[in-house]
């Protein structure tokens, strides 16, 4: 049983890695800072650890999909992230890919081999 | 709170200088937000901070996520080459140290204990030195060439099945052992000529103790022949390295070998034209040492051999250079035919 869990954990990790990026990008048409993004994803039942999200935001910024700006007017300084033009384009195409992937996978699951 | 700063430091000091400040500021904000969300505004206890930090997890892992890449001294793309060069360096060092010991014992058997101590000392010094310099060299290549390598790897994406190398015919394959032995051999000879050329000759013992050497070479021309030998063996090492890199005999390798051997051959011809490289007083020194009586039968035989050997050695060497190329060419032809 614990063996099954172990496999499941690893596979879920891989599965999450890709979907996380799509989820994050989807929420950044409006500027958000890291922790508000954690909250807004959580609200929609999309769980993400801050320790995973923060490095991911930086990486996406480095890749040019996100832009960032420090807001120092509030009580504590916060770094806001927003989709760049490239980011928007990539996101749109990524959503199309995702939908077609969901469709074909759904199709596979309904016609399991043999049954 | 001190604990927070310690956590932030534990993450950021593992990251590049340029990103530290920004990430520290962001992390500090995050931790404060997390504390605030738990309703700990204003007063926070150490336990509450600990809870939040535990949720963020091991700072080392967090730093790894920020960095995005694993850290290493010598990456997987260089590691194979590193191991090979390391092996060669260690073998060569070991053989040179061993040979030095044997020579020392032969020169002065009575001080075998001292020779043994110096053997241990040079082993303790020499092996880590070979290891260290090889590793250092590769670390530099890794550090400087990391970007270049990435470019190369990206270029490799447009890979074509026709790029696949032909499975080499066993006859066309370069024997790694032979090539490595060659490199070790050349290295040892350079070391012997460089450090102890004066011992390269007939050893003359008196009362069981080493007394003198009658050198084969003309010591006045030491600089001249040393340069020649280093060049010759240096080219030999380059040639063996090329064989190792290619792994099989190809036309390109044969052409490389041809070029290297022609250069060595020209060097050899210079030496034949300059017989002064040999000790001109070899025979008279032999007589002086009392090993041979002048004009005796032994003297005539040795004199004859000395004259012939110094001449034929070069001819044989020249022949070996030519054969090296022909052999390579034959191997290429054979492996092509069996395709």
């Amino acid at each position: 049983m614990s063996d099954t869990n172990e496999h499941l954990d690893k596979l879920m990790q891989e599965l999450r890695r890709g979907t996380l990026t799509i989820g994050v990008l989807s929420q950044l048409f409006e500027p958000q800072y890291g922790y508000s993004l954690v909250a807004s994803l959580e609200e929609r039942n999309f769980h993400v650890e801050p320790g995973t999200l923060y490095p991911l935001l930086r990486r996406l910024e480095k890749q040019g999909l996100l832009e960032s700006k420090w807001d120092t007017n509030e009580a504590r300084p916060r770094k806001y992230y927003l989709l760049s033009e490239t980011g928007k384009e990539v996101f749109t195409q990524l959503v199309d890919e995702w939908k077609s992937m969901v469709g074909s996978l759904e199709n596979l699951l309904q016609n399991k081999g043999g049954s | 709170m001190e604990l927070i700063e310690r956590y932030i430091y534990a993450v950021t000091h593992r990251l590049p200088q340029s990103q530290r400040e920004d990430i520290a500021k962001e992390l500090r904000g995050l931790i404060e937000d997390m504390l605030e969300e738990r309703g700990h505004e204003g007063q926070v206890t150490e336990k509450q901070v600990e809870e939040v930090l535990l949720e963020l997890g091991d700072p080392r892992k967090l730093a790894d996520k920020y960095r995005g890449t694993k850290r290493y001294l010598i990456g997987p793309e260089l590691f194979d080459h590193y191991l090979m060069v390391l092996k060669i360096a260690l073998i060569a060092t070991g053989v040179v140290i061993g040979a030095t010991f044997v020579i020392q014992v032969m020169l002065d058997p009575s001080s075998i204990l001292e020779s043994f101590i110096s053997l241990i000392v040079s082993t303790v010094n020499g092996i880590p030195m070979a290891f260290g310099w090889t590793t250092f060299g590769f670390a530099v290549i890794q550090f400087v060439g990391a970007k270049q390598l990435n470019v190369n790897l990206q270029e490799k994406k447009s890979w074509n099945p026709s790029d696949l190398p032909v499975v080499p015919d066993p006859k066309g394959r370069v024997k790694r052992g032979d090539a490595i032995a060659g490199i070790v051999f050349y290295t040892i000879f350079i070391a012997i000529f460089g450090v102890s050329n004066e011992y390269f000759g007939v050893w003359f013992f008196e009362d069981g103790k080493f007394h003198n050497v009658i050198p084969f070479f003309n010591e006045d021309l030491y600089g001249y022949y040393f340069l020649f030998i280093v060049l010759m063996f240096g080219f030999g090492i380059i040639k063996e390295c090329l064989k190792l890199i290619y792994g099989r005999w190809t036309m390109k390798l044969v052409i490389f070998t041809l070029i290297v051997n022609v250069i060595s051959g020209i060097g050899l011809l210079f030496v034949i034209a300059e017989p002064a490289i040999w000790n001109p007083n070899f025979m008279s020194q032999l007589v002086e040492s009392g090993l041979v009586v002048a004009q005796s039968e032994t003297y005539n035989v040795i004199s004859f051999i000395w004259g012939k050997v110094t001449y034929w050695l070069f001819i044989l060497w020249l022949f070996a250079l030519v054969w090296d190329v022909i052999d390579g060419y034959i191997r290429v032809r054979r492996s092509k035919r069996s395709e």
Side-chain angles (χ1 to χ4, degrees), chain B residues 18 58 67 69 101 116 145 150 176-177 179 181 191 195 199 202 227 245 257 269 283 304 309 314 334:
Chain B
S18 56
D58 189 341
R67 211 184 297 111
T69 50
F101 173 69
F116 188 70
N150 279 340
R176 301 188 106 191
V195 181
Y199 293 134
V202 172
L227 184 78
I245 291 167
T257 311
L269 288 172
M283 285 316 295
F304 179 76
V309 162
F314 287 122
R334 267 198 208 144

Side-chain angles (χ1 to χ4, degrees), chain A residues 33-36 38 49-52 54-59 61-62 70 72 76-79 81, chain B residues 19 21-23 25-30 32-34 36-38 41 55-56 62 65-68:
Chain A
Y33 64 94
Y35 204 59
S36 70
V38 174
E49 302 280 344
T52 308
Y54 275 63
L56 175 66
L57 285 172
R58 261 176 188 280
R59 201 151 56 240
E61 185 196 355
K62 205 176 159 195
W70 276 97
T72 46
R76 63 181 65 110
R78 276 166 177 156
K79 198 177 186 182
Y81 293 91
Chain B
Q19 300 171 18
E21 205 189 323
D22 207 53
I23 289 176
K25 219 155 85 176
E26 206 179 8
L27 270 182
R28 205 170 292 126
L30 168 65
E32 282 167 12
D33 278 338
M34 285 170 85
E36 191 181 293
E37 193 218 32
R38 284 149 196 251
E41 210 174 349
E55 200 189 315
L56 280 176
L62 188 54
K65 282 187 202 161
Y66 269 116
R67 211 184 297 111

Side-chain angles (χ1 to χ4, degrees), chain B residues 197-253:
Chain B
N197 69 93
E198 68 268 26
Y199 293 134
F200 200 72
V202 172
W203 291 0
F204 175 43
F205 292 86
E206 204 170 61
D207 303 330
K209 275 196 84 172
F210 174 72
H211 184 253
N212 205 354
V213 177
I214 299 159
F216 287 145
F217 290 110
N218 185 348
E219 285 178 73
D220 298 335
L221 282 169
Y222 169 72
Y224 174 77
Y225 70 70
F226 181 64
L227 184 78
F228 151 77
I229 278 161
V230 166
L231 273 181
M232 187 130 304
F233 289 159
F235 276 120
I237 291 177
I238 293 171
K239 190 174 69 188
E240 298 300 328
C241 287
L242 284 174
K243 285 186 193 170
L244 277 180
I245 291 167
Y246 275 88
R248 69 192 187 99
W249 281 97
T250 62
M251 226 40 211
K252 245 188 201 165
L253 183 56

Side-chain angles (χ1 to χ4, degrees), chain A residues 29-59:
Chain A
F29 280 87
E30 294 296 321
Q32 295 220 51
Y33 64 94
Y35 204 59
S36 70
L37 188 55
V38 174
S40 81
L41 287 170
E42 199 78 44
E43 239 170 66
R44 294 167 175 80
N45 282 325
F46 194 92
H47 180 71
V48 53
E49 302 280 344
T52 308
L53 181 69
Y54 275 63
L56 175 66
L57 285 172
R58 261 176 188 280
R59 201 151 56 240

